[in-house]
């Protein structure tokens, strides 16, 4: 184990028996309405809303409310720092920026539960004058300082910290803050990795079902075409077009088709609903024979592409074969998490949020580090097919989606896979932005028929 307080003469851990499973995301062109999902300035140190008293008591409820009220908002960088065009984060003198956010904190509780790894390695490249401070949380949302590193050099230094996963049996995260001293400090890159001899990275067929949304669908193809690192693990992108407004007729389609080349296949068929479209994509992935996974995506989502790498990493390295799902963020109010985990209430046979979660959580108002329920590991029955990674071996064994048209196909498949021994993991840090359910109550409108 390396001395965490000494700079290491390396910038990469892959090739040394380590695989990066979670890269820190810093983007200069990021819009402000999503910034709180990635990083933000620390304005107070009052901790989380987790009470130290017995849960459910009147004193605990009062304590949680008082603590929540005392926490100043964390989100955005105004007055704390800036992101340079190179992607480097500059933290202003005597200010602190946190990566204890939805997309940048490491979901240690999930890696503790679903893999056999005993530790995770944090590699950070910094220069300037300040401190790197690593935190971990418990499943109850209590925050603990784990490590700290002094940074004092105008030249780039790489710090390597090996951190245990043992404490995270019921949940919890790792993350780090960067604090500037009397001068600015610069974070150039950071990543989380695990030591493994399973070096091969799984490959993916992406399956998109679309119905009369050619503009949304082409937007997604353009997004995929512009990320060479994601394209490296994609065998095919199968668009199953079931509408009368064809994707191929969209003005930008020719250019994106040329960019994607042989990876892109647009298949036209009658409107067989979501289950018919996704079943076709599953079948194409299995029959193609090259892909380890089929990644199902709705046509009207905006995907955080790093989430594809994270989903594949967990699926590759899990101690058993699993389905890996992504969370749903609101396409309209983009700092809001609409769905964090889904379960079936079997006594009334209807889906709903997993226990101890809530719909519509706004990270811009209530950050990860100060929201206790987000630190508990959530187990689910299924994941919506707005984003769900399914091993092709599972498809071979349990078959395709049942012909349920537009409702229950994803829920039934998750239950069926679970009964066959293949659980679903809704992995934090893997997500898409999607039209929220608040815009369409499918228990009351025309869709209720399909329930």
């Amino acid at each position: 184990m390396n001395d965490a307080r000494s700079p290491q003469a390396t910038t990469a851990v892959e090739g040394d028996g380590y695989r990066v499973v979670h890269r820190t995301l810093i983007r200069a062109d990021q819009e402000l309405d999503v910034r709180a999902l990635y990083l933000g300035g620390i304005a107070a140190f009052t901790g989380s809303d987790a009470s130290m008293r017995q849960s459910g008591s009147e004193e605990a409820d009062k304590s949680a409310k008082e603590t929540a009220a005392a926490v100043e908002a964390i989100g955005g960088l105004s007055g704390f720092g800036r992101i340079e065009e190179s992607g480097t984060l500059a933290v202003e003198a005597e200010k602190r920026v946190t990566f204890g956010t939805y997309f940048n904190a490491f979901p240690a509780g999930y890696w503790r539960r679903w893999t056999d790894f005993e530790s995770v390695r944090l590699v950070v490249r910094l220069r300037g004058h300040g401190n790197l401070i690593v935190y971990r949380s418990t499943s109850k949302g209590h925050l603990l300082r784990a490590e700290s590193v002094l940074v004092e050099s105008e030249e780039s230094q790489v710090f390597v910290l090996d951190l245990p996963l043992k404490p995270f049996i019921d949940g919890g995260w790792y993350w780090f803050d960067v604090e500037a001293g009397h001068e600015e400090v610069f974070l150039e890159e950071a990543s989380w990795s695990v030591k493994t001899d399973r070096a091969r990275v799984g490959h993916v067929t992406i399956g998109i079902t679309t119905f009369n949304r050619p503009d949304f669908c082409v937007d997604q193809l353009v997004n995929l075409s512009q990320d060479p690192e994601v394209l490296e693990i994609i065998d095919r992108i199968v668009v199953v077009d079931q509408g009368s407004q064809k994707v191929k007729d969209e003005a930008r389609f020719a250019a994106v088709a040329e960019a994607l080349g042989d990876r892109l296949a647009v298949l036209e068929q009658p409107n067989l609903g979501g289950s018919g479209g996704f079943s076709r994509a599953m079948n194409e992935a299995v029959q193609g024979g090259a892909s380890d996974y089929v990644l199902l995506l709705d046509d009207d989502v905006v995907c955080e592409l790093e989430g594809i790498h994270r989903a594949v990493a967990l699926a590759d390295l899990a101690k058993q074969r699993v389905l890996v799902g992504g969370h749903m963020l609101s396409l309209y109010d983009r700092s809001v998490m609409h769905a964090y985990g889904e379960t079936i209430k079997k006594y009334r046979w209807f889906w709903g949020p997993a226990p101890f979660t809530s719909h519509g959580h706004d990270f811009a108002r209530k950050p990860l580090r100060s929201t206790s329920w987000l630190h508990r590991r959530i187990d689910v029955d299924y994941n919506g097919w707005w984003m769900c990674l399914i091993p092709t071996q599972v498809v071979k064994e349990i078959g395709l989606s049942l012909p349920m048209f537009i409702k229950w196909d994803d829920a039934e498949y998750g239950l069926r896979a679970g009964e066959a021994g293949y659980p679903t993991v809704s992995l934090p840090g893997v997500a898409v932005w999607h039209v929220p359910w608040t815009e369409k109550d499918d228990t009351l409108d025309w869709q209720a028929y399909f329930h």
Side-chain angles (χ1 to χ4, degrees):
M1 177 173 172
N2 293 316
D3 180 1
R5 288 164 181 78
S6 299
Q8 305 301 311
T10 179
T11 59
V13 290
E14 288 184 301
D16 188 28
Y18 282 85
R19 174 173 170 180
V20 173
V21 297
H22 188 103
R23 292 179 296 183
T24 297
L25 301 173
I26 309 170
R27 297 197 177 100
D29 60 349
Q30 204 165 65
E31 296 179 0
L32 293 178
D33 60 348
V34 298
R35 183 63 59 78
L37 296 168
Y38 294 86
L39 73 170
I42 294 286
F45 296 92
T46 50
S48 77
D49 63 1
S51 172
M52 298 299 291
R53 302 179 184 275
Q54 183 176 353
S55 61
S57 69
E58 183 176 344
E59 290 186 19
D61 293 340
K62 180 180 179 182
S63 174
K65 290 178 180 178
E66 289 175 347
T67 302
V71 176
E72 293 186 38
I74 306 172
L77 285 175
S78 178
F80 295 91
R82 65 188 182 279
I83 299 175
E84 300 181 338
E85 289 186 10
S86 62
T88 295
L89 169 68
V91 182
E92 295 183 7
E94 299 184 356
K95 296 294 177 67
R96 182 188 286 207
V97 170
T98 184
F99 287 81
T101 58
Y102 174 76
F103 277 123
N104 276 325
F106 179 74
Y110 291 80
W111 281 85
R112 168 71 168 82
R113 167 64 179 88
W114 296 108
T115 73
D116 290 322
F117 299 109
E118 296 181 355
S119 64
V120 61
R121 171 168 285 189
L122 172 62
V123 180
V124 186
R125 179 189 287 274
L126 292 153
R127 59 183 167 85
H129 301 270
N131 296 285
L132 172 71
I133 306 167
V134 181
Y135 289 92
R136 71 172 178 90
S137 63
T138 71
S139 61
K140 294 182 179 180
H142 299 139
L143 312 185
L144 297 89
R145 189 180 177 114
E147 288 278 3
S148 64
V149 175
L150 178 64
V151 183
E152 281 197 321
S153 175
E154 298 299 329
E155 301 296 324
S156 295
Q157 296 178 292
V158 176
F159 298 93
V160 180
L161 296 90
D162 290 306
L163 304 164
L165 289 174
K166 186 176 180 180
F168 298 93
I169 188 168
D170 294 321
W173 304 65
Y174 274 124
W175 68 87
F176 61 87
D177 292 357
V178 179
E179 182 180 72
H182 60 282
E183 298 179 17
E184 289 184 325
V185 65
F186 300 86
L187 174 70
E188 296 176 349
E189 61 179 344
S191 64
W192 303 81
S193 59
V194 294
K195 188 173 181 62
T196 178
D197 56 5
R198 297 158 71 179
R200 183 183 177 275
V201 177
H203 278 231
V204 178
T205 289
I206 292 181
I208 302 170
T209 300
T210 187
F211 178 79
N212 289 348
R213 286 173 172 156
D215 50 346
F216 273 101
C217 190
V218 171
D219 282 343
Q220 191 165 173
L221 296 178
V222 170
N223 191 29
L224 289 166
S225 72
Q226 294 175 343
D227 192 322
E229 291 184 339
V230 169
L231 288 176
E232 284 183 6
I233 63 170
I234 294 175
D235 293 319
R236 295 179 76 202
I237 301 171
V238 177
V239 176
V240 183
D241 192 343
Q242 303 186 139
S244 57
Q245 301 172 34
K246 300 299 183 183
V247 171
K248 289 182 176 179
D249 295 333
E250 210 275 350
R252 297 166 296 153
F253 176 79
V256 75
E258 182 179 0
L260 291 171
D262 294 340
R263 285 189 177 91
L264 178 63
V266 178
L267 309 177
E268 297 180 0
Q269 68 180 28
N271 184 17
L272 304 178
S275 59
F278 286 127
S279 286
R280 179 71 183 275
M282 289 179 185
N283 191 58
E284 292 288 328
V286 170
Q287 295 301 318
S291 296
D292 303 279
Y293 309 102
V294 56
L295 175 62
L296 305 182
L297 291 174
D298 272 344
D299 59 351
D300 58 347
V301 300
V302 176
C303 184
E304 169 50 75
L305 296 181
E306 172 62 16
I308 297 177
H309 284 289
R310 296 174 181 179
V312 170
L314 183 69
D316 281 350
L317 301 174
K319 57 189 174 184
Q320 65 186 106
R321 192 168 279 127
V322 295
L323 287 66
V324 182
H327 293 147
M328 184 202 291
L329 295 157
S330 172
L331 189 62
Y332 299 148
D333 196 359
R334 296 199 298 163
S335 62
V336 173
M337 172 68 68
H338 193 65
Y340 195 76
E342 299 296 310
T343 55
I344 301 293
K345 295 177 172 58
K346 295 181 180 178
Y347 67 93
R348 59 189 290 258
W349 201 252
F350 206 76
W351 58 61
F356 309 105
T357 71
S358 63
H359 282 331
H361 179 81
D362 188 351
F363 284 97
R365 294 178 179 271
K366 199 70 180 299
L368 168 68
R369 59 183 289 156
S370 57
T371 307
S372 58
W373 69 264
L374 287 167
H375 296 257
R376 180 176 185 143
R377 193 194 73 242
I378 302 300
D379 296 325
V380 301
D381 291 327
Y382 72 99
N383 198 97
W385 283 353
W386 50 78
M387 183 181 189
C388 189
L389 186 82
I390 303 173
T392 49
Q393 186 61 37
V394 172
V395 179
K396 292 176 184 178
E397 292 186 25
I398 74 172
L400 304 176
S401 169
L402 292 186
M404 292 178 168
F405 199 63
I406 62 170
K407 295 295 168 186
W408 286 98
D409 48 349
D410 48 11
E412 187 280 329
Y413 202 87
L415 292 175
R416 185 169 13 130
E419 288 185 354
Y422 306 119
T424 297
V425 182
S426 292
L427 182 63
V430 178
V432 296
W433 285 269
H434 187 279
V435 176
W437 295 323
T438 50
E439 296 300 310
K440 48 182 182 180
D441 187 345
D442 58 18
T443 63
L444 298 176
D445 64 15
W446 62 272
Q447 298 172 87
Y449 171 84
F450 296 101
H451 285 310

